[in-house]
Amino acid sequence: MRFMEGKGVSKGVVKGPICFYQRAAAAVSNHASLGMEAEKRRLEDAKAASIEQLNALAEQAREEAGADAALLFETHAMFIEDEDFCDCMDAALMEQPCTAEGAVELAGEQFSAMLAEMDDPYMQARAADIRDVARRMRNNLMGVTEGGIDVGEPVILAAGDLAPSETLQLDKRSILGFLTQGGSSSSHTAILARTMGIPAICGLGDALDPAMNGCTVYMDGETGQVVLEPDGPTLADFEAKLARQREQQALAESMKGQADVTLDGRPLMVYCNIGSPEDVAAVQANDGQGIGLFRSEFLYLTASQYPTEDAQFRAYKQAAAAMNGKRVVIRTLDIGADKQAAYFNLPKEENPALGLRAIRICLNRPEVFRTQLRALYRASAYGKVAIMFPMITSVWEVRACKEACRAVMAELDQEGVPYNRDTELGIMIETPASVLVAEELAREVDFFSVGTNDLTQYTLACDRQSNDLGRFFDPRHPAVLRALKLAADAAHKAGIWIGICGELAADLSLLETFLAIGIDELSVSPSAVLPLRAALRRTSAKACTLDRLECQAEGERE
């Protein structure tokens, strides 16, 4: 038996033969420069061809993996026209007689190296995106076709690392799982694998040897384990996991059309998180009962300038109308920290997670906020829209948001524009501050929604973007769960509902704890709806306890 362990980045257990990815050779041509003007023309042609290809990939990603995946390729296309990147390539052509291929390689190396040297693991992972863009441009200049796999059966694809475009362009019918020597859970390839529901493990290092090509292995995308030639007990364990996985998939399908209630009749709203109106199709396919988080920032992150009121209105209206009367909670602009839009010209901050982000930007830039609120209220005439404000820490912030809403409503009244005057207003509970003043906040709004990723980050003083922190970032920490209980108690005291829209909402091992705490709604990715419903319907709410909120000895927690 041979055992390897990496970092599981996309859940699922599979068995199959390893096939190493065949990347096309793309060594930079050493032919003589045709002259600066001629090389500039070649470079412009390569830019145009690359942008066209990336736009096509964005559409493919939208169909296969949703709007968040499409955003990746739209961002790649935007980077090709980035002023600094273009200036770097032009300077190479002017300052030394090199080819367009050489200029692209030089700029790609400089920018990817700059990102790789940053302290932020998320930004380090973006270095692979820059290399992917540069490789595409070089391939177009040299007429090189992307590589791939040539097999007659489904395989577990292995590679040193995979670029996002390589991942997307593979025939998914031939891929059982992904194994890579490098990469991280923050890489876009890992994100794509999760979105497409393909098990993946990264960080296997040199243990993943090309000599294994063709060997049959078992892999567990949750634990990060890969086993060749398993012994009897290990084989039995993997086969049992596969059997349970098949049973769970069949059970999930049987949940369509069933009510979201516990065994003893307590209802729980099971909603979905989405990134764009196109994701509503996945909500409907998985029988989601509403949308608990519509991330409106996708409109800003995919634009080269502030999106107009009409552009936003069309997106919000499309989602609201498609949900046919079911609640659609739309979060107002939430950028800053790891989500940046260049045209906002946000200042560089030593600690952006504690800086100008989310509602702080909106309250500092009232015209940007007003434009979004007008679009949201206009869309409320076409469905059950609720508006949610992120990163709230103080009562005065909520009151400022409500005043901005009243001003927009007065404008729409004066213009004779229809909207729902009773549109619900809610806030995200993401900081210890919002938990500690939750009773006062609850008297100001219609609902709470807890963002558990940020709540964990700020409660534990633990950067959620850092892979190095590992076990220290613990969303199941008693302090985080107690914060949830404090917020839930405050919400119910004020007669409002409380939900969870962070990743923790889909953790089935915490379902009983959430019910005991008094959570009213869980908002998860569309693919998690049916498994959550199945677990809910076999759980007795009356039997649920708050044991997990109690601090335990370190040995017991292990």
Side-chain angles (χ1 to χ4, degrees):
M1 182 173 75
R2 186 168 178 180
F3 179 83
M4 296 182 286
E5 188 163 12
K7 183 174 181 60
V9 296
S10 183
K11 293 181 180 180
V13 179
V14 291
K15 168 193 175 184
I18 287 181
C19 177
F20 271 79
Y21 185 76
Q22 302 162 12
R23 183 168 284 123
V28 171
S29 170
N30 59 3
H31 69 74
S33 170
L34 301 176
M36 186 175 67
E37 292 305 319
E39 294 295 346
K40 274 190 173 184
R41 286 193 294 273
R42 293 184 65 233
L43 185 58
E44 291 302 317
D45 289 344
K47 287 182 187 177
S50 299
I51 290 172
E52 183 177 352
Q53 292 164 0
L54 287 165
N55 287 337
L57 283 172
E59 288 307 309
Q60 181 184 344
R62 200 181 310 280
E63 293 176 5
E64 295 183 13
D68 287 347
L71 173 60
L72 161 63
F73 296 102
E74 290 165 351
T75 303
H76 279 201
M78 289 168 61
F79 182 76
I80 291 174
E81 298 181 294
D82 178 81
E83 184 175 352
D84 292 336
F85 186 60
C86 291
D87 285 348
C88 186
M89 291 186 289
D90 289 342
L93 291 177
M94 288 189 292
E95 293 171 8
Q96 50 186 312
C98 73
T99 62
E101 294 93 325
V104 171
E105 182 174 51
L106 177 66
E109 287 177 351
Q110 286 186 7
F111 276 75
S112 61
M114 176 182 67
L115 290 171
E117 291 170 1
M118 290 186 176
D119 294 332
D120 186 346
Y122 179 86
M123 298 308 295
Q124 291 171 358
R126 303 290 73 76
D129 296 328
I130 302 303
R131 290 193 292 270
D132 192 16
V133 169
R135 179 168 56 245
R136 176 174 299 282
M137 291 179 66
R138 291 198 308 269
N139 286 350
N140 282 322
L141 283 162
M142 296 183 290
V144 174
T145 303
E146 291 282 355
I149 56 174
D150 182 18
V151 292
E153 62 179 332
V155 296
I156 294 174
L157 188 66
D161 203 355
L162 285 167
S165 60
E166 292 171 333
T167 305
L168 185 67
Q169 291 177 97
L170 292 163
D171 182 355
K172 308 310 175 296
R173 295 169 298 181
S174 300
I175 307 299
L176 298 170
F178 293 120
L179 300 175
T180 60
Q181 295 171 322
S184 72
S185 59
S186 298
S187 73
H188 278 305
T189 298
I191 294 169
L192 279 172
R194 289 193 291 270
T195 304
M196 294 185 293
I198 299 176
I201 299 172
C202 69
L204 288 162
D206 293 338
L208 183 60
D209 189 338
M212 298 174 183
N213 200 62
C215 294
T216 296
V217 300
Y218 286 82
M219 65 172 284
D220 186 335
E222 182 171 13
T223 65
Q225 296 176 337
V226 184
V227 179
L228 289 78
E229 300 177 354
D231 58 21
T234 305
L235 177 62
D237 182 51
F238 268 99
E239 290 292 352
K241 284 182 179 180
L242 282 169
R244 286 195 300 270
Q245 184 172 271
R246 287 191 290 267
E247 290 173 3
Q248 289 167 358
Q249 289 167 345
L251 176 61
E253 281 299 308
S254 72
M255 286 294 105
K256 288 184 177 178
Q258 300 295 318
D260 292 321
V261 295
T262 62
L263 195 61
D264 48 354
R266 179 185 159 181
L268 182 74
M269 297 180 284
V270 178
Y271 286 1
C272 294
N273 300 332
I274 67 169
S276 80
E278 287 76 14
D279 293 342
V280 172
V283 177
Q284 294 169 333
N286 288 277
D287 202 26
Q289 296 306 297
I291 292 171
L293 173 61
F294 181 153
R295 303 179 183 92
S296 70
E297 57 268 21
F298 92 96
L299 286 165
Y300 296 83
L301 295 173
T302 58
S304 58
Q305 58 186 353
Y306 293 106
T308 66
E309 178 185 325
D310 283 344
Q312 294 190 61
F313 163 65
R314 287 192 294 270
Y316 306 146
K317 173 187 173 182
Q318 182 181 340
M323 287 302 293
N324 197 28
K326 295 179 178 179
R327 184 186 279 120
V328 178
V329 178
I330 304 177
R331 181 174 68 189
T332 58
L333 174 64
D334 186 12
I335 66 165
D338 60 318
K339 292 178 284 190
Q340 297 285 334
Y343 58 89
F344 270 78
N345 294 311
L346 296 175
K348 181 174 175 58
E349 299 173 303
E350 287 297 322
N351 195 337
L354 301 181
L356 195 61
R357 58 173 299 195
I359 203 62
R360 298 171 180 177
I361 294 174
C362 291
L363 294 179
N364 276 2
R365 303 190 183 188
E367 279 306 305
V368 173
F369 197 26
R370 171 180 169 272
T371 298
Q372 181 170 36
L373 289 175
R374 282 181 59 92
L376 287 165
Y377 271 103
R378 287 172 60 191
S380 71
Y382 299 88
K384 191 176 182 180
V385 169
I387 300 172
M388 180 165 67
F389 306 115
M391 197 64 186
I392 293 293
T393 60
S394 304
V395 171
W396 75 261
E397 294 168 342
V398 180
R399 291 175 178 167
C401 291
K402 290 168 69 175
E403 180 57 36
C405 290
R406 285 192 290 269
V408 162
M409 291 165 68
E411 289 178 3
L412 296 176
D413 283 337
Q414 190 173 12
E415 296 165 15
V417 176
Y419 67 94
N420 178 14
R421 184 172 295 277
D422 297 321
T423 295
E424 289 180 299
L425 299 180
I427 63 169
M428 293 194 71
I429 301 294
E430 301 174 276
T431 66
S434 61
V435 171
L436 293 174
V437 295
E439 287 195 12
E440 292 88 344
L441 291 171
R443 291 194 288 267
E444 299 285 337
V445 296
D446 299 306
F447 65 92
F448 284 168
S449 187
V450 183
T452 51
N453 290 342
D454 270 331
L455 182 61
T456 302
Q457 170 174 255
Y458 295 125
T459 299
L460 302 183
C462 197
D463 185 356
R464 68 189 183 99
Q465 298 292 338
S466 174
N467 290 328
D468 295 333
L469 290 172
R471 62 180 177 172
F472 298 103
F473 185 87
D474 180 12
R476 300 168 188 79
H477 192 289
V480 177
L481 299 178
R482 288 180 179 182
L484 284 174
K485 182 67 166 64
L486 288 171
D489 288 347
H492 295 149
K493 182 178 179 181
I496 66 173
W497 62 270
I498 181 171
I500 298 176
C501 62
E503 289 183 15
L504 208 62
D507 188 336
L508 299 183
S509 70
L510 285 175
L511 177 58
E512 292 186 8
T513 300
F514 293 151
L515 289 168
I517 286 172
I519 298 301
D520 304 300
E521 177 253 10
L522 294 173
S523 190
V524 298
S525 64
S527 62
V529 166
L530 297 175
L532 175 56
R533 179 176 298 161
L536 180 66
R537 291 177 62 85
R538 60 175 179 263
T539 301
S540 171
K542 292 178 182 177
C544 295
T545 66
L546 296 174
D547 294 345
R548 283 182 180 267
L549 275 65
E550 301 303 320
C551 285
Q552 302 169 355
E554 186 66 26
E556 293 175 338
R557 293 191 66 209
E558 292 294 333

